């Protein structure tokens, strides 16, 4: 079998994929920490046609770009189709994902195993959610905002400004 491109050496390009609908301070914490581990961290917004997002892919990448401006080695992109194909195109050897608790574990484990099968050598690196942000999800942010709550301490400024204007 030909060696997989994923099993290379050299600079570590890692992908942090997700819906980011919208990006929260929990995601940002992970991005900051992931950027310290990888030479380049590509935050990749999944264009998932089966989910009905609040923000378009362009809006989500725009907010992510603003929130991560000034972070060295961080890039924002989007993709559709298989993550492993996107990883191949971008020369990535690792996927970064966050674990908030047991409820994340089983799906994250299965995705990591599946991606490893689809592209041998592609590793998933799990970072524990920062203690401060373990409870936080994009879904909860959207629900609180819908009910008129203030989430200014939970999301980057650019996101809060957008949410307030909805
Ligand atoms: P997805 O639809 O792929 O789960 P999300 O945007 O909800 O997309 O999450 C992307 C990744 O970020 C997942 O690995 C998720 O576990 C992680 N994540 C989500 N919220 C937090 C948080 N508060 N702290 C750390 N990691 C998080």
């Amino acid at each position: 079998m030909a060696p997989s491109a994923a099993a290379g050496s050299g600079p570590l390009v890692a992908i942090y994929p997700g819906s980011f609908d919208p990006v929260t301070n929990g995601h940002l914490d992970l991005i900051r920490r992931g950027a310290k581990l990888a030479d380049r961290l590509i935050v990749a917004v999944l264009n998932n046609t089966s989910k009905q997002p609040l923000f378009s892919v362009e809006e989500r990448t725009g907010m992510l770009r603003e929130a991560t401006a000034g972070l060295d080695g961080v890039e924002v992109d989007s993709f559709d189709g298989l993550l492993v194909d996107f990883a191949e195109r971008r020369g990535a050897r690792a996927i970064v994902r966050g674990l908030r608790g047991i409820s994340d574990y089983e799906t994250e484990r299965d995705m990591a195993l599946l991606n490893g099968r689809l592209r041998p050598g592609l590793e998933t690196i799990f970072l524990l959610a920062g203690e401060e942000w373990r409870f936080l999800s994009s879904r909860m942010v959207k629900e609180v905002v819908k009910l008129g709550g203030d989430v200014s301490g939970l999301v980057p400024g650019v996101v809060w400004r957008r949410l307030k204007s909805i």
Side-chain angles (χ1 to χ4, degrees), residues 29-39 41 72 74:
D29 177 57
L30 225 74
I31 293 169
R32 286 202 188 91
R33 289 159 57 206
K36 287 188 194 147
L37 296 175
D39 295 294
L41 183 70
D72 275 349
V74 175

Side-chain angles (χ1 to χ4, degrees), residues 16-22 24-27 29-30 33 46 48 51 96-100 104 108 111 127-130 133-138:
Y16 177 30
S19 306
F20 304 106
D21 185 39
T24 69
N25 286 347
H27 292 129
D29 177 57
L30 225 74
R33 289 159 57 206
L46 170 63
N48 186 345
K51 277 192 191 173
V96 170
R97 294 285 287 179
L99 285 181
R100 280 162 293 188
D104 280 338
E108 292 292 342
M111 274 197 296
L127 296 180
L128 282 185
W133 311 115
R134 280 182 57 170
F135 65 94
L136 186 58
S137 67
S138 300

Side-chain angles (χ1 to χ4, degrees), residues 2-147:
S4 165
S9 55
L12 176 63
V13 178
I15 294 177
Y16 177 30
S19 306
F20 304 106
D21 185 39
V23 57
T24 69
N25 286 347
H27 292 129
L28 262 190
D29 177 57
L30 225 74
I31 293 169
R32 286 202 188 91
R33 289 159 57 206
K36 287 188 194 147
L37 296 175
D39 295 294
R40 169 157 291 269
L41 183 70
I42 303 170
V43 184
V45 176
L46 170 63
N47 193 357
N48 186 345
T49 45
S50 66
K51 277 192 191 173
Q52 190 53 257
L54 177 63
F55 294 108
S56 69
V57 170
E58 291 71 30
E59 289 173 312
R60 285 180 268 157
T61 50
M63 287 186 279
L64 267 167
R65 284 205 178 96
E66 207 170 318
T68 60
L71 289 182
D72 275 349
V74 175
E75 180 190 326
V76 178
D77 199 352
S78 64
F79 71 104
D80 43 31
L82 282 177
L83 174 60
V84 291
D85 293 337
F86 177 69
E88 177 90 49
R89 285 202 296 281
R90 300 301 318 262
R93 282 192 283 134
I95 304 297
V96 170
R97 294 285 287 179
L99 285 181
R100 280 162 293 188
I102 289 288
S103 56
D104 280 338
Y105 173 73
E106 287 196 357
T107 24
E108 292 292 342
R109 178 203 59 198
D110 289 351
M111 274 197 296
L113 291 173
L114 179 63
N115 286 331
R117 274 295 176 90
L118 293 174
R119 189 164 176 240
L122 183 66
E123 291 289 349
T124 300
I125 300 169
F126 291 108
L127 296 180
L128 282 185
E131 217 174 327
E132 230 185 314
W133 311 115
R134 280 182 57 170
F135 65 94
L136 186 58
S137 67
S138 300
R139 184 179 57 79
M140 276 175 48
V141 163
K142 286 182 280 193
E143 276 175 23
V144 172
V145 167
K146 209 162 87 183
L147 298 171

